[in-house]
Amino acid sequence: MNRDDVITLSDGQTATVIRGDESYLKNSYVVLLNDGQSRVVDKKTLTLVRTK
């Protein structure tokens, strides 16, 4: 994935990739959700990483 690619997450919502394969994160993407939140997504499962 590259910056600005739109992906569909495992829960059905869409997100825009902020940091993709060029990221320092090896197993994750940083995405912008439709509600404006920046979140981390697991590359393999396309699920949101839990936050505290």
Side-chain angles (χ1 to χ4, degrees):
M1 296 290 159
N2 295 312
R3 183 178 170 86
D4 297 326
D5 284 350
V6 176
I7 60 173
T8 302
L9 304 179
S10 63
D11 64 0
Q13 66 180 315
T14 58
T16 305
V17 176
I18 297 173
R19 296 271 181 172
D21 290 332
E22 78 284 354
S23 176
Y24 56 89
L25 301 170
K26 293 181 181 179
N27 298 314
S28 305
Y29 297 124
V30 178
V31 299
L32 182 63
L33 300 177
N34 291 334
D35 63 5
Q37 292 184 52
S38 295
R39 297 286 299 273
V40 176
V41 173
D42 180 90
K43 280 185 179 181
K44 291 181 183 178
T45 63
L46 295 180
T47 56
L48 293 171
V49 175
R50 293 183 71 189
T51 58
K52 293 183 179 184

